[in-house]
Amino acid sequence: MGSLTKGPSLAPRACCAALALASFLAPVARAQEALHDLYAQELKPKPQEWVVIGHHFRHSDNCTSDGCVVMGPMDDREACEEWARDYNRHDPYDHTRCVEAKDYRTKAE
Amino acid sequence: MRKCSDKADKTDKARREAYLTSATRRSASRMILAAGASVFAPAIAQARPRLVVVGGGAAGATVAKYVAKDSPKIQVTLVEDSKAYTSCFFSNLYLAGLRTLASLTHRYDALAERYGVTLVTSRASAIDRDRKLVRLADGSAVAYDRLALSPGVSFDYDAVRGYTPSAAEQMPHAYQAGFQTFLLRRQIAAMRPGGVFVLAPPTSPYRCPPGPYERASMIAKYFKRRNPTAKIIILDAKDSFAKQPLFEEGWAASYPGMIEWRPASFSGGGLKEVDVKEMLLIDGEGERIRADAASVIPPQRAGDIALSADLTDSDGWAVVDGSQMRSRLDPNIFIVGDAARAGAMPKSGFAANSQARVAALAIRADLDGATLFPARFRNTCWSFIDNQNVVKVGANYAFRDGDIRVVDRFVSKVGEPPSVRFDNTLEANAWYGAIASDMLG
């Protein structure tokens, strides 16, 4: 350190600058890390997800006797319920509805 | 599921290690050592022709699968730096809360397990065309007899002053799906009530021409439910856009007063400068728009590796012979997907998948004596405007008079009955399942 700063008086200053930089960068790095952790979670199925099921898509693999997945999975229940409501306005006889994906998966299995 | 993935990771690693070891045993005389890089090749490299695919998107994954499936004699290696693929298509639905990001993310494992594709999880850093090597970021290299290059797009960060890769974390382009899409959704969700969202689409050509306008629709869908007084400004670099009358019809019906489109002639050519610290976007007339959140999509060109390998034209797109998707600059290389200048075809997931099938057959003809057929291509782009309002545009294409040309086309019509748009919704969802399975299933 001494040889780099060419004098004892500069060493504490360089050291302080390095510490200040480190204390500035540490929260930024932590925030980035937290963001990437959240992203990693986003790439995994969530504990609660919803799907719209109906009787279209009968050719799909994703069907049970209750119906087939028409839309989703979604993590926003309101979006799912709104989608099913809109769908039923077009085709009220299809009995399309929003169900929790977990329940649907259990039946499918 | 988790266990299965972990196991697959280990299998990949073990396979790659065995791969490296066998190549090492074959001694230096069989390996081309250049600039200190190790070259690995399968133990039977001399007996089996080698296809290396760089990039595991809609085009690259399809080439890898179809060559490996239909010509087991060919040793297929896929070089891709991610273990999973998140589709750019349908990612706007994630912004609206209509799909989870997990449901748009697909692992590559099936390519290895079902078809014997060797997965190399690494970034391809360069192509040595003279030695027929793909150099990897870790310093090693993979040798090929034919190379299928599917690098997607890269961004021209010089086009908008102040917009850099780090600025893209504040104003995400979200045109490479995954982390960028996640960032954009967070920023939309964090917007203050009644805030302003600015979307800046680029000049053509670019990936998925209707994509920015579908994005505006899906963000409006989200706002309508969660932030009904928010506003969306589209600061366009063009004076018209794909499926414009259909989008404008849908916006008027579903999101009246929420979306304002500003053409290039109104804004001095669109966005020219950003100040991410102040969240300012400045157009060509000098007008400063303060945004609460923004998505800036810069002009695009072929992925960097195609540029650095001198496989592109002066505009930065890869030049190919559309009868086979073979590079016009190197007969050992095929270029598929968004990076290619593919005649009349747009840059889309459907188009990439279609080009990949043509390239796969040509590669099999080169390396396995397969019979070539005249190239035929198809494309359809569905765009979600509202829950059951999906519009589409598409065409069939053939290679004629030296280029890929439209044979016939179709497009949704303004004023169609809701039942037609509703059927498009089902069709689009069915297509997503089909292409994901076709690429990676």
Side-chain angles (χ1 to χ4, degrees):
Chain A
M1 191 70 166
S3 65
L4 283 174
T5 54
K6 293 187 180 174
S9 62
L10 287 178
R13 269 190 232 167
C15 184
C16 286
L19 281 173
L21 184 65
S23 64
F24 170 76
L25 289 177
V28 175
R30 273 199 300 274
Q32 275 292 320
E33 202 176 314
L35 199 58
H36 281 273
D37 285 347
L38 283 172
Y39 173 58
Q41 292 302 315
E42 198 73 357
L43 293 179
K44 293 176 187 166
K46 295 187 174 172
Q48 274 199 302
E49 291 181 352
W50 288 269
V51 289
V52 178
I53 61 166
H55 287 95
H56 284 277
F57 272 13
R58 287 198 188 95
H59 58 284
S60 161
D61 292 339
N62 207 355
C63 295
T64 71
S65 55
D66 286 353
C68 307
V69 173
V70 182
M71 195 72 191
M74 314 179 198
D75 54 11
D76 185 331
R77 185 177 189 168
E78 275 182 46
C80 180
E81 286 175 344
E82 185 193 274
W83 208 97
R85 265 199 311 276
D86 286 353
Y87 194 108
N88 285 326
R89 271 203 287 274
H90 291 290
D91 187 358
Y93 303 106
D94 193 58
H95 305 296
T96 294
R97 62 197 188 281
C98 174
V99 298
E100 196 171 342
K102 190 174 58 183
D103 295 342
Y104 182 79
R105 269 202 294 269
T106 306
K107 282 178 185 165
E109 281 153 13
Chain B
M1 184 71 181
R2 177 65 199 265
K3 266 188 178 173
C4 180
S5 305
D6 288 346
K7 190 181 167 189
D9 289 350
K10 281 174 195 160
T11 310
D12 291 347
K13 201 175 173 189
R15 188 178 288 123
R16 193 172 170 210
E17 277 165 5
Y19 196 48
L20 284 161
T21 309
S22 67
T24 309
R25 278 202 207 110
R26 300 232 138 211
S27 87
S29 64
R30 282 211 169 173
M31 292 165 42
I32 306 155
L33 294 174
S38 62
V39 179
F40 57 91
I44 47 172
Q46 301 300 306
R48 294 177 73 191
R50 298 157 302 182
L51 168 68
V52 175
V53 181
V54 170
T62 306
V63 172
K65 173 179 162 177
Y66 275 90
V67 172
K69 179 170 83 70
D70 296 333
S71 282
K73 173 183 163 186
I74 301 171
Q75 169 72 42
V76 180
T77 301
L78 174 63
V79 178
E80 162 60 50
D81 63 354
S82 302
K83 285 192 183 299
Y85 167 69
T86 302
S87 66
C88 219
F89 42 93
F90 270 51
S91 62
N92 287 324
L93 273 67
Y94 166 67
L95 301 177
L98 295 174
R99 288 291 292 247
T100 59
L101 202 56
S103 76
L104 303 176
T105 302
H106 312 272
R107 292 183 64 91
Y108 292 107
D109 303 339
L111 293 181
E113 288 160 10
R114 293 187 192 161
Y115 309 107
V117 173
T118 301
L119 302 176
V120 175
T121 308
S122 181
R123 188 174 62 80
S125 57
I127 299 163
D128 184 337
R129 285 168 47 191
D130 294 336
R131 294 187 175 87
K132 294 208 273 188
L133 293 175
V134 174
R135 297 197 182 283
L136 307 181
D138 64 7
S140 62
V142 193
Y144 63 83
D145 297 304
R146 292 292 180 275
L147 171 65
L149 199 54
S150 173
V153 297
S154 59
F155 300 102
D156 178 6
Y157 283 102
D158 296 331
V160 176
R161 203 173 310 124
Y163 196 71
T164 60
S166 70
E169 296 206 351
Q170 306 303 313
M171 296 181 177
H173 51 72
Y175 247 59
Q176 279 161 339
F179 187 61
Q180 274 277 312
T181 326
F182 163 75
L183 287 178
L184 182 56
R185 179 162 150 164
R186 277 174 63 84
Q187 291 173 15
I188 293 161
M191 257 178 62
R192 69 180 169 88
V196 173
F197 176 79
V198 180
L199 174 63
T203 48
S204 298
Y206 61 95
R207 168 178 280 177
C208 190
Y213 312 97
E214 181 190 67
R215 177 174 294 177
S217 308
M218 290 293 94
I219 292 173
K221 180 81 202 152
Y222 175 84
F223 285 157
K224 196 173 167 184
R225 202 168 56 248
R226 303 278 185 196
N227 191 350
T229 54
K231 190 175 165 74
I232 297 171
I233 296 172
I234 304 174
L235 198 54
D236 213 326
K238 306 179 292 301
D239 276 328
S240 61
F241 59 88
K243 300 189 237 182
Q244 184 168 350
L246 298 164
F247 278 108
E248 288 177 340
E249 174 197 48
W251 294 344
S254 295
Y255 318 112
M258 187 179 273
I259 300 173
E260 180 192 341
W261 176 64
R262 296 186 185 177
S265 55
F266 180 85
S267 60
L271 181 67
K272 298 295 174 195
E273 184 176 352
V274 296
D275 178 341
V276 289
K277 205 171 164 192
E278 299 295 327
M279 286 302 284
L280 276 175
L281 296 100
I282 303 159
D283 71 14
E285 299 282 346
E287 186 177 343
R288 300 156 77 86
I289 306 169
R290 192 175 294 277
D292 295 279
S295 174
V296 173
I297 308 166
Q300 294 161 28
R301 55 196 177 204
D304 289 335
I305 196 165
L307 293 163
S308 63
D310 288 330
L311 294 166
T312 56
D313 61 16
S314 56
D315 293 329
W317 298 105
V319 279
V320 295
D321 165 3
S323 67
Q324 299 185 355
M325 300 306 293
R326 192 188 297 267
S327 170
R328 288 193 187 276
L329 303 172
D330 188 327
N332 297 312
I333 298 179
F334 292 77
I335 303 166
V336 282
D338 294 344
R341 187 183 283 287
M345 295 189 85
K347 300 181 185 305
S348 75
F350 198 131
N353 175 263
S354 182
Q355 292 162 15
R357 288 159 171 268
V358 168
L361 183 59
I363 291 163
R364 292 181 50 235
D366 276 9
L367 300 180
D368 195 22
T371 306
L372 270 177
F373 296 99
R376 293 275 185 275
F377 303 90
R378 296 186 74 185
N379 177 58
T380 304
C381 286
W382 290 270
S383 300
F384 286 74
I385 298 176
D386 200 347
N387 276 351
Q388 274 85 45
N389 184 4
V390 174
V391 294
K392 63 180 177 181
V393 61
N396 291 303
Y397 305 84
F399 183 77
R400 285 180 186 164
D401 304 324
D403 208 351
I404 300 173
R405 298 182 196 280
V406 173
V407 174
D408 52 63
R409 70 168 82 228
F410 54 88
V411 60
S412 296
K413 307 237 176 338
V414 168
E416 280 172 333
S419 60
V420 173
R421 302 292 175 82
F422 170 58
D423 286 346
N424 290 343
T425 311
L426 299 176
E427 199 177 280
N429 281 319
W431 171 77
Y432 188 89
I435 193 173
S437 167
D438 192 54
M439 288 166 56
L440 297 161

